[in-house]
Amino acid sequence: MTNPANRLVFFDTTLRDGEQSPGCSMTTQEKLSMAHALEDLGVDIIEAGFAMASEGDFAAIATITQAIRTPRITSLARAKREDIEMAARALEHADRARIHVFLASSDLHLEYKLKMSREQALIQTGESVRQARALVDDIEFSPEDATRADRDFLVEMVRIAVEAGATTINMPDTVGYSTPEEYGKMFREVRQRIPAIDQQGVILSSHCHDDLGLAVANSLSAVQNGARQVECTINGVGERAGNAALEEIAAALFVRADYYGISTGIKLDKLNPTSQTLAQLITFGPSPNKAIVGANAFAHESGIHQHGMLANPLCYEIMTPESVGASKTNLVLGKHSGRAALRHRIEQLGYTLDREELQHTYYRFVALADRKKNIYDQDLIGLLPQQIRDRKAATYID
Ligand code: KIV
Ligand code: ZN
């Protein structure tokens, strides 16, 4: 895959890493709907599943390859002959396929999970990448748990994978342990120590989990240090605390284009619709305070903020809701709201108030808001003095 220097590849793993977490399993048809949404969103690569994991995963990958044409489709595979063959079979009908091979790289995983020596792991890396490369020309290799691996060993493993023909090297922070500076440094170091990465145009990729809430920051740090692919999921779903949230990375690169100078194929105004599509397919949606796609991401309740928003939205919003496909700014009326927002809403409802009437209504509103969490339009109308309601009724009769 050719990649201009500042173009970032979005690799979406909602249907694989996301789907394998509690409450997120999807049928083949549901995965297909999600794959269409991801294609509309403009992701470059869809990891559609793990072909060897189940018949359902195999079927979903095969179905997606026949319906989705623009993004490249990939299947995960352990560094084992049978997994790689199964992945290749599931991807048989893809216009553009990738096999994503992974093998543990930390001593902890090698010793306790795989009972494998470092030497064996290096041999298996070379053999599996060569085998996959003989079947498909786009191969990603992931040294799992890279951030806790011995650095010299990690470099050796990556070198062998590159020599064997890997076209993308993904270095996962499998347990969300790393910090932005440390994660970025790992990319810099691996790139410097293996000149073949740049010479052969191998793409470096980040894959971050959110156990410490650092997944997006770590991914962006990798990008600043040479990664040109990010692996992420819609709404940040994924194992345990989840993966880096696609919408947050995409919005950060857009809003801070001055800082990052990175281009992507993501259509920003599809972020919210895609988030909602996923929420309808799995058992939960994003939390209300989730960046970009949460229900409160563009809601303001406090008087000072509402006043600022009415004067100039830039006071408290760094992007418009429309730019990320969210419905317009919501000035929520609650006990922290001020007169400006109250007047604004009442006028939107078609009532006009003079100064004194506004003051009177405001006192009644604050008293109600102290008792009630949500104030609806009907509540507001009920607070208005009778003469104001009569005035509006009279305008209809006239
Ligand atoms: O978190 C991880 O290490 C993974 C790999 C399979 C890439 O999901
Ligand atoms: Zn993962």
Side-chain angles (χ1 to χ4, degrees):
M1 205 165 162
T2 54
N3 195 35
N6 69 344
R7 168 67 158 80
L8 184 65
V9 172
F10 269 79
F11 175 117
D12 182 277
T13 183
T14 305
L15 299 178
R16 198 280 297 169
D17 213 323
E19 208 242 354
Q20 72 194 39
S21 63
C24 295
S25 63
M26 288 174 249
T27 63
T28 295
Q29 277 316 305
E30 289 168 338
K31 279 187 151 195
L32 185 58
S33 313
M34 194 61 210
H36 280 295
L38 292 169
E39 182 172 41
D40 289 348
L41 175 65
V43 306
D44 302 284
I45 301 175
I46 295 176
E47 186 161 54
F50 184 173
M52 191 67 177
S54 70
E55 280 177 22
D57 255 37
F58 183 96
I61 298 167
T63 305
I64 288 170
T65 59
Q66 292 175 49
I68 301 291
R69 290 287 160 224
T70 312
R72 189 176 286 273
I73 310 296
T74 184
S75 167
L76 187 66
R78 288 170 297 182
K80 290 181 169 203
R81 178 160 293 280
E82 56 278 23
D83 273 39
I84 292 168
E85 279 167 3
M86 192 67 94
R89 276 182 38 220
L91 294 165
E92 194 162 79
H93 297 290
D95 274 357
R96 294 171 327 120
R98 167 178 295 185
I99 298 179
H100 176 189
V101 180
F102 76 103
L103 180 61
S105 63
S106 66
D107 289 335
L108 195 68
H109 278 221
L110 285 172
E111 192 179 330
Y112 290 93
K113 197 179 75 174
L114 300 181
K115 309 207 180 326
M116 187 186 280
S117 68
R118 285 187 180 188
E119 292 66 34
Q120 274 175 296
L122 294 180
I123 292 169
Q124 208 162 316
T125 298
E127 282 177 0
S128 57
V129 173
R130 264 190 299 279
Q131 183 207 345
R133 187 65 204 254
L135 298 168
V136 169
D137 64 3
D138 186 316
I139 303 300
E140 172 168 328
F141 177 74
S142 291
E144 191 192 10
D145 205 17
T147 51
R148 294 192 299 170
D150 172 79
R151 187 57 52 83
D152 291 340
F153 179 69
L154 174 71
V155 169
E156 202 42 36
M157 196 176 219
V158 170
R159 191 192 313 280
I160 288 172
V162 169
E163 278 168 13
T167 43
T168 296
I169 295 289
N170 176 51
M171 295 191 281
D173 185 24
T174 302
V175 288
Y177 175 73
S178 204
T179 65
E181 215 187 323
E182 197 179 63
Y183 195 57
K185 186 163 171 267
M186 180 175 79
F187 281 77
R188 238 178 14 249
E189 189 181 328
V190 169
R191 201 170 156 205
Q192 269 161 11
R193 290 178 63 179
I194 310 177
I197 289 177
D198 282 342
Q199 286 158 7
Q200 294 177 27
V202 172
I203 292 179
L204 293 182
S205 166
S206 71
H207 178 114
C208 298
H209 281 270
D210 210 28
D211 301 65
L212 293 175
L214 293 171
V216 170
N218 286 345
S219 306
L220 291 170
S221 173
V223 172
Q224 287 181 285
N225 285 283
R228 285 296 173 267
Q229 174 179 288
V230 282
E231 300 196 357
C232 43
T233 59
I234 300 299
N235 296 346
V237 294
E239 288 281 10
R240 306 177 310 281
N243 287 65
L246 182 150
E247 58 278 4
E248 294 181 17
I249 299 176
L253 294 174
F254 164 70
V255 173
R256 296 309 312 273
D258 61 319
Y259 182 73
Y260 290 107
I262 289 286
S263 73
T264 79
I266 297 295
K267 299 187 188 83
L268 265 274
D269 62 348
K270 298 279 189 216
L271 289 176
N272 254 271
T274 315
S275 158
Q276 282 168 27
T277 300
L278 180 66
Q280 281 154 16
L281 294 173
I282 61 174
T283 57
F284 56 92
S287 65
N289 63 335
K290 168 84 174 58
I292 323 299
V293 294
N296 289 351
F298 297 96
H300 308 265
E301 187 186 312
S302 83
I304 295 173
H305 286 218
Q306 291 181 336
H307 182 74
M309 283 297 297
L310 289 169
N312 182 344
L314 284 175
C315 290
Y316 288 107
E317 280 182 357
I318 57 170
M319 68 200 109
T320 63
E322 293 80 9
S323 67
V324 292
S327 49
K328 59 183 178 9
T329 295
N330 182 10
L331 299 185
V332 179
L333 291 174
K335 68 174 186 179
H336 304 108
S337 305
R339 288 170 190 73
L342 181 65
R343 177 196 283 279
H344 182 73
R345 185 71 199 129
I346 289 175
E347 285 179 356
Q348 280 181 331
L349 293 171
Y351 298 91
T352 47
L353 302 131
D354 63 27
R355 237 177 117 77
E356 208 177 306
E357 288 164 344
L358 175 64
Q359 190 69 331
H360 174 78
T361 310
Y362 180 68
Y363 288 136
R364 299 186 70 201
F365 162 74
V366 171
L368 179 67
D370 256 338
R371 288 181 274 121
K372 207 165 176 283
K373 283 203 192 324
N374 297 312
I375 307 280
Y376 300 105
D377 290 346
Q378 282 316 313
D379 297 319
L380 288 183
I381 294 169
L383 292 177
L384 296 173
Q386 189 59 43
Q387 81 264 15
I388 297 174
R389 283 184 267 163
D390 291 347
R391 212 154 57 212
K392 185 178 179 198
T395 58
Y396 289 129
I397 295 162
D398 291 349

